[in-house]
Amino acid sequence: MKNIVIFASGGGSNAEKIIEYFANSPVARVVLVLSNRPGAGVLFKAESHHVPTLTFTKEELENGWVLRHLQAFNPHIIVLAGFLQKFPADIIAAYPHKVINIHPALLPKYGGKGMYGIHVHRAVLENNEPESGITIHYVDENYDEGNIIFQQSIALADCATPEEVAAKVLALEHEHFPKVIEKLLTE
Ligand code: GAR
């Protein structure tokens, strides 16, 4: 049985889909959800599924405190699902090729600092892009720049607002993210 650890900053709809997908899986289960935001919706979602949670400060993320707690959970994969802080180099170095992130656009376009959530979808629409999509990639020390594992695109012809793009992209994330994690854990 493999251990999945999730970092998230927000509502945690992706985290919840992953928890549910693996709830009765013989492959893996979610053993810990961490957040930098004490009131984040993801923490309530995790608790409602009886998944342990941990919150931390920026300092604790950067001074090795979070890494020490992670080690106790023996993660086989570390999943960033809407985690909006820079991920520290010591955790990336301790878990090479085991930290992955989901981004709500087709990288390398619309990535980098400040490109998260609705900001991404607004920029995509402002540039009249015919399509957008999702990217799942390994995390390195730069924002949104690690090797790409999986991409899926969708047409934007019927989307007039960033919120409509967001809803379409989020549905795509929910559909694919758990399956990609499972594939990485079994290959
Ligand atoms: C997701 O759309 C994810 O791709 C995005 O945050 C959202 C979190 O939603 N991540 C980024 O923008 C990272 N740059 P959720 O909390 O409902 O899972």
Side-chain angles (χ1 to χ4, degrees), residues 43-173:
L43 297 169
F44 298 100
K45 289 199 174 80
E47 281 157 18
S48 76
H49 292 278
H50 309 290
V51 174
T53 60
L54 189 66
T55 56
F56 54 84
T57 62
K58 190 168 184 288
E59 195 194 352
E60 287 165 340
L61 182 63
E62 290 167 355
N63 70 11
W65 185 89
V66 171
L67 175 57
R68 282 198 298 284
H69 275 76
L70 271 184
Q71 283 161 338
F73 285 82
N74 186 30
H76 296 90
I77 193 162
I78 295 171
V79 176
L80 311 190
F83 183 63
L84 301 180
Q85 262 183 3
K86 191 159 164 51
F87 208 65
D90 61 348
I91 302 182
I92 297 167
Y95 297 99
H97 267 77
K98 287 185 180 170
V99 185
I100 68 168
N101 178 47
I102 193 161
H103 188 76
L106 297 171
L107 293 174
K109 286 175 124 181
Y110 304 104
K113 205 168 164 60
M115 276 293 168
Y116 60 89
I118 208 74
H119 304 289
V120 176
H121 308 307
R122 192 171 292 127
V124 164
L125 274 188
E126 277 170 7
N127 287 330
N128 293 312
E129 295 283 358
E131 59 174 26
S132 189
I134 64 171
T135 303
I136 297 168
H137 63 93
Y138 288 108
V139 174
D140 67 15
E141 285 158 45
N142 298 315
Y143 283 93
D144 303 328
E145 283 183 13
N147 288 344
I148 290 171
I149 301 163
F150 176 89
Q151 286 189 308
Q152 177 80 47
S153 59
I154 37 147
L156 295 180
D158 57 347
C159 291
T161 65
E163 288 74 18
E164 284 168 18
V165 181
K168 254 190 147 175
V169 168
L170 195 63
L172 210 56
E173 295 185 342

Side-chain angles (χ1 to χ4, degrees), residues 11-45:
S13 70
N14 276 287
E16 186 164 48
K17 290 288 174 194
I18 297 164
I19 291 168
E20 287 170 351
Y21 185 88
F22 288 99
N24 296 306
S25 164
V27 173
R29 69 220 146 119
V30 178
V31 295
L32 181 66
V33 169
L34 298 102
S35 184
N36 58 311
R37 281 191 40 231
V42 69
L43 297 169
F44 298 100
K45 289 199 174 80

